[in-house]
Amino acid sequence: MIDVSYLPYKLKKEQLEALEFCYSKTNAIMALGTGVGKTITSCCLVKQLLEDDPKAVALFIIPSKAIKAFKKELNICDLKYHLWESNVKQNTPGARILIVTHTALNKYVKSLQQFLSRYHCIGIVDEIHNFTVNYDTTPYLINKRTRALLEIRPHCSHFYGLTATTVKNNAMSLYTMCNIVEPNYFGSPQQFQKKYCDTKTTFYKIKTRWGSEKTITKTTINGFKKSREFEIKKNNLIIFKQLKYDIEYYDIDIPLDEGLWEKYVAIGKGDIVLKETKSKLSNYSFRLIALQRLMDNNTIIDEEGKIISQPTTMTNKEKELLNLISKLLKEGHIPIIYCFYLETIERVKSI
């Protein structure tokens, strides 16, 4: 058992199982669902591995939005760290942990290779599902961030991926994660698809610029085959834990504000030309965004049809939100409001 008595609280059963699973392996994927606690679990794992090997160092590769969370948990574990972001390097004397953000990875890849070549390295990649490879092209299309990670990977004697999304959108995402953590774990992409995936191949013809016909082959993956071998291999590399929540859903009927429907229809039809579009009939995506912003009350439309941000009056939707928050607080609950746009966050703050 790993000693975590230094923590000011007890880890959940799911966290302890994930911790023991990863500690028993040199390469693994910690797929802990939302709320389970990947951050503190991975920090406890690194603390133990660094104590086991006084010559080792650890590299955390994390998204910028996770910096605050990792700094907090590393401090709880009494672990010092360097922090390399895109625009700044913060070095701490005596630290054996280096944090690099996803966006800075490509910038520092050469420096990281030189640094890691001198030590035993423990690699931790948070949100590893965001490192992708497009296997539909020849050669494979790999973005700079993923290519940088693949160049660093050989310098890590231990390597762990963190994710709450075991399969993101398609089976090849799972393949990519596993292939990064343990290279060639499922063989080549073609071998993986043929052996474990339910695929469908479509042939269609297109005309070339010279007028001749060309046959294009497109293979789509519908899911996984039923395979005991696949389940064994997957469970040998990935530990998946998820909490069960007692959730109740409520619908709230909110009357539409006066005049909002006419504006909604006008934007949807393209009668109002947005600043991002060149014509009334182009860029449907911008119009969809404008519709959502209109419903979020981020925008108002003046008499000339121009969109202006931040109206001064509250909509019925916003009034209902404030009433709901007030009710929840009186009942002793802590509300969490999920917003998609930064503008929506600012609007919610302002009301």
Side-chain angles (χ1 to χ4, degrees), residues 88-331:
V88 64
K89 278 186 178 182
Q90 298 176 11
N91 292 322
T92 304
R96 296 169 62 194
I97 294 174
L98 171 59
I99 301 175
V100 179
T101 60
H102 284 189
T103 51
L105 187 58
N106 184 61
K107 178 179 179 180
Y108 297 123
V109 63
K110 298 301 180 185
S111 299
L112 288 170
Q113 285 178 307
Q114 293 175 2
F115 172 73
L116 297 177
S117 64
R118 303 195 298 268
Y119 302 96
H120 300 155
C121 178
I122 304 156
I124 303 281
V125 184
D126 189 26
E127 295 196 4
I128 193 171
H129 55 266
N130 287 331
F131 291 86
T132 59
V133 178
N134 185 353
Y135 299 101
D136 293 331
T137 62
T138 305
Y140 304 141
L141 184 61
I142 307 176
N143 59 36
K144 291 182 179 179
R145 182 175 61 185
T146 304
R147 193 177 297 278
L149 180 61
L150 292 173
E151 291 178 13
I152 292 168
R153 172 64 187 90
H155 298 280
C156 299
S157 58
H158 290 67
F159 200 85
Y160 305 95
L162 312 180
T163 181
T165 310
T166 309
V167 181
K168 183 185 178 184
N169 297 331
N170 56 58
M172 296 314 294
S173 176
L174 175 66
Y175 171 83
T176 302
M177 286 190 285
C178 294
N179 195 53
I180 293 173
V181 172
E182 185 152 329
N184 205 39
Y185 186 68
F186 282 116
S188 69
Q190 294 77 17
Q191 290 171 329
F192 174 74
Q193 290 183 21
K194 183 177 180 181
K195 194 169 185 179
Y196 302 115
C197 298
D198 178 19
T199 60
K200 179 182 178 182
T201 303
T202 305
F203 302 92
Y204 57 95
K205 294 183 178 181
I206 62 170
K207 283 191 175 182
T208 66
R209 57 189 295 185
W210 298 280
S212 58
E213 286 190 343
K214 181 180 179 181
T215 301
I216 301 294
T217 303
K218 178 69 175 179
T219 301
T220 56
I221 299 175
N222 300 320
F224 294 110
K225 296 177 181 177
K226 289 184 179 180
S227 169
R228 177 174 170 77
E229 180 187 344
F230 175 67
E231 292 301 320
I232 291 173
K233 285 185 71 71
K234 187 174 66 171
N235 294 336
N236 189 51
L237 187 66
I238 304 172
I239 182 165
F240 180 74
K241 294 291 178 181
Q242 198 163 16
L243 297 180
K244 292 183 179 179
Y245 296 95
D246 184 13
I247 299 175
E248 295 181 17
Y249 293 94
Y250 296 91
D251 290 326
I252 301 176
D253 292 326
I254 304 171
L256 201 63
D257 296 84
E258 185 178 354
L260 184 62
W261 176 247
E262 289 76 13
K263 297 172 185 177
Y264 192 89
V265 172
I267 292 178
K269 286 183 176 180
D271 293 338
I272 296 174
V273 181
L274 309 180
K275 64 181 181 180
E276 295 97 337
T277 61
K278 296 180 180 179
S279 71
K280 292 183 180 181
L281 299 178
S282 67
N283 297 326
Y284 289 97
S285 59
F286 285 119
R287 280 152 58 184
L288 288 171
I289 292 171
L291 289 174
Q292 183 61 56
R293 286 174 173 167
L294 181 68
M295 297 305 295
D296 287 347
N297 204 27
N298 289 326
T299 57
I300 57 175
I301 302 170
D302 64 13
E303 295 178 355
E304 298 179 358
K306 293 181 180 179
I307 291 181
I308 305 173
S309 296
Q310 293 296 322
T312 55
T313 58
M314 282 198 295
T315 63
N316 291 335
K317 180 180 176 182
E318 292 169 337
K319 292 174 184 176
E320 186 61 41
L321 174 63
L322 291 182
N323 290 335
L324 179 61
I325 291 173
S326 178
K327 177 176 177 291
L328 291 170
L329 290 175
K330 286 179 181 178
E331 294 175 355

